[in-house]
Amino acid sequence: MKSGRIVLIVVIALIVLLGGCTYNAYNGLVKGDQNVKNAWSNVETNYQRRTDLYNSVIKVVEGSANFEKSTLKEVIEARSKATSITVDINDPKTLQAYEQAQSQFQGSFGKLLAVAESYPDLKTTQAFRDFQTQIEGTENRIGIARRDFNTSVNDYNLRVRTFPGNIFAGMFGFKTKEYFQAKPGSENPPDIKFDIK
């Protein structure tokens, strides 16, 4: 009789222990997944800030009657494309498409700024000067948000791929996520010159 009780106690202890491990592993995976989603949301928030800043300066540029309309049109089209892509952080292709559209937007805006140097009235407007100051801070925020996103993805992927988390990740359908990757050539700074006096 005593050995039956001991076996029952051991079985119950194992069930409680296994249940606790499953509980902790599952909740850790959910928490990691939510951290990745939150970090990506911060990246998108900073991209939106940049878009909003660009929208403001585009209005200033549109007000300059002599400004080259083709360059402005290119920026407006790139902005439209960059804001129309929806990202699924579980699908690396949408993440890449989004980042490519953002890069095209940033590149076309670089051309707009280069052309703007030829228009002294535009360069001296307060809104244009404010934009130049704010865009630097925004680009820094985007860089930090991307880094934080990759840190969250790394933490999550470690949970998904290491033992015993990999067992529970497989049981509950958690998969690794893709890191943010800059496009090739992005290590080279853009060739934008400001000639403001």
Side-chain angles (χ1 to χ4, degrees):
M1 195 68 156
K2 282 187 177 184
S3 65
R5 279 188 166 173
I6 292 174
V7 170
L8 181 61
I9 290 172
V10 168
V11 168
I12 290 172
L14 285 174
I15 290 171
V16 168
L17 182 63
L18 184 59
C21 288
T22 302
Y23 172 82
N24 286 335
Y26 179 79
N27 285 344
L29 290 166
V30 169
K31 182 179 177 184
D33 184 58
Q34 289 302 308
N35 285 340
V36 169
K37 289 176 182 173
N38 182 56
W40 180 251
S41 175
N42 290 337
V43 171
E44 287 184 317
T45 297
N46 284 295
Y47 277 136
Q48 184 62 51
R49 176 184 163 82
R50 179 171 70 184
T51 300
D52 293 345
L53 284 171
Y54 286 167
N55 289 343
S56 296
V57 82
I58 284 170
K59 289 178 183 165
V60 171
V61 170
E62 284 175 332
S64 178
N66 296 326
F67 197 77
E68 292 185 22
K69 300 296 181 190
S70 62
T71 304
L72 184 59
K73 183 178 177 187
E74 183 180 331
V75 172
I76 292 169
E77 287 172 1
R79 175 189 63 185
S80 176
K81 184 177 179 183
T83 57
S84 68
I85 296 175
T86 303
V87 176
D88 175 0
I89 59 173
N90 296 313
D91 180 5
K93 290 180 182 177
T94 63
L95 189 61
Q96 290 170 353
Y98 183 80
E99 188 53 38
Q100 184 179 17
Q102 288 292 331
S103 294
Q104 288 173 346
F105 180 37
Q106 187 178 16
S108 66
F109 205 82
K111 286 169 55 177
L112 177 94
L113 292 177
V115 172
E117 289 185 27
S118 302
Y119 295 87
D121 292 342
L122 176 63
K123 290 189 306 184
T124 60
T125 64
Q126 185 63 40
F128 195 75
R129 287 194 315 250
D130 289 348
F131 165 77
Q132 291 172 351
T133 303
Q134 291 180 31
I135 199 63
E136 181 181 341
T138 299
E139 292 299 331
N140 288 337
R141 287 179 177 147
I142 289 171
I144 291 167
R146 288 174 179 163
R147 185 191 66 216
D148 291 347
F149 172 72
N150 280 346
T151 299
S152 294
V153 168
N154 185 61
D155 293 345
Y156 171 80
N157 285 349
L158 283 173
R159 269 187 198 273
V160 169
R161 296 186 70 197
T162 57
F163 182 80
N166 60 344
I167 294 169
F168 297 108
M171 286 172 44
F172 296 116
F174 289 93
K175 295 180 169 80
T176 58
K177 298 189 184 297
E178 291 293 317
Y179 291 95
F180 169 84
Q181 295 180 3
K183 68 176 187 161
S186 63
E187 67 278 2
N188 302 320
D191 188 22
I192 301 173
K193 296 177 185 159
F194 294 104
D195 186 24
I196 297 177
K197 297 179 177 156

